[in-house]
Amino acid sequence: MFDKNKPIIALTGATGFLGSHLMASMLSGGYKIIILGRPTKEETLQERISKLLRWFGIEELAGQLELVEIDFLEPKLGIPEAEYKNLCAITEQIIHCASDTSFAERKRDTVFKSNVSSLEGILEFAANANVNIFHYISTAYVAGANVTICKERISSATDFLNVYEESKARAESIISTFCEKNEIPYTIIRPSIIYGDSHTGR
């Protein structure tokens, strides 16, 4: 049941592993969520999200969702002007969970395009919406190679085990600089290894 006292949250990455679990948990907790996502060649965004809601067994909570197809690399996320202004007016918080998690060096350009170049649009949206907080889902591995402790500060590492770690460290730097300059409160959340529920496998 939607709780009108809770903030309206825009969520990216809802079709991914962690993002879908965040979506399900927040829906069950009464949040209204704006899903910013993309279709695939085979499925619309609506079909992708509907499939996940069925998998989690929460189809009845679909009314708490607003789905918006976006392109991170387009001005205003590729959203028509009137719709963009409306989203800015109602969005109170952002959770940016979308990410390319490939470790392969041969995919460097794609990973940096997804994890770094795409930040401009979502950060601009955060500023235009005047959100009260911007949450970024990063990784503990921004600490860099040969480091056993990931301290709660922006990574200064220059040596990484793979392109994913490097791109996430670069993204943290961009986000922290932008949010501080624009006086947007932000959190950087650094999961380590993510796995399914030990009882259900979900």
Side-chain angles (χ1 to χ4, degrees):
M1 180 72 72
F2 171 54
D3 184 345
K4 63 182 180 180
N5 294 315
K6 293 189 174 182
I8 296 176
I9 298 175
L11 172 66
T12 72
T15 54
F17 182 81
L18 180 57
S20 65
H21 281 76
L22 285 172
M23 175 185 69
S25 178
M26 289 191 295
L27 287 175
S28 298
Y31 286 90
K32 176 177 173 59
I33 306 172
I34 300 166
I35 300 295
L36 304 178
R38 296 176 296 179
T40 64
K41 292 180 179 179
E42 295 79 23
E43 295 179 308
T44 64
L45 179 60
Q46 176 71 59
E47 289 169 334
R48 299 180 76 189
I49 295 298
S50 294
K51 185 183 294 184
L52 286 166
L53 295 179
R54 288 193 299 273
W55 191 74
F56 282 108
I58 54 171
E59 295 164 275
E60 73 280 2
L61 302 181
Q64 293 167 221
L65 290 174
E66 180 174 345
L67 308 184
V68 182
E69 291 191 2
I70 66 166
D71 184 334
F72 282 114
L73 299 174
E74 290 292 322
K76 292 185 171 58
L77 301 174
I79 302 171
E81 181 71 25
E83 184 178 0
Y84 184 82
K85 287 183 177 179
N86 179 62
L87 287 176
C88 288
I90 65 174
T91 301
E92 297 171 77
Q93 298 184 10
I94 294 173
I95 301 176
H96 186 39
C97 190
S99 184
D100 186 323
T101 58
S102 174
F103 294 172
E105 182 62 30
R106 69 180 185 278
K107 294 185 177 180
R108 169 172 288 271
D109 289 347
T110 300
V111 171
F112 263 79
K113 190 174 182 180
S114 295
N115 297 349
V116 179
S117 301
S118 65
L119 290 173
E120 182 177 352
I122 194 69
L123 289 171
E124 184 178 81
F125 175 60
N128 290 335
N130 194 28
V131 296
N132 56 48
I133 194 161
F134 183 91
H135 301 286
Y136 177 59
I137 308 298
S138 185
T139 174
Y141 298 97
V142 295
N146 304 313
V147 176
T148 56
I149 298 175
C150 185
K151 296 182 179 180
E152 293 184 352
R153 61 189 183 211
I154 301 303
S155 173
S156 59
T158 56
D159 186 21
F160 300 94
L161 295 178
N162 56 64
V163 65
Y164 171 69
E165 296 176 359
E166 183 182 349
S167 70
K168 298 296 271 189
R170 177 65 182 139
E172 283 194 6
S173 177
I174 292 170
I175 289 165
S176 62
T177 299
F178 182 93
C179 288
E180 288 167 11
K181 179 180 179 181
N182 291 275
E183 300 183 336
I184 300 171
Y186 68 97
T187 61
I188 292 176
I189 302 162
R190 293 170 169 167
S192 54
I193 300 298
I194 299 174
Y195 54 90
D197 186 286
S198 61
H199 296 288
T200 67
R202 289 182 182 272

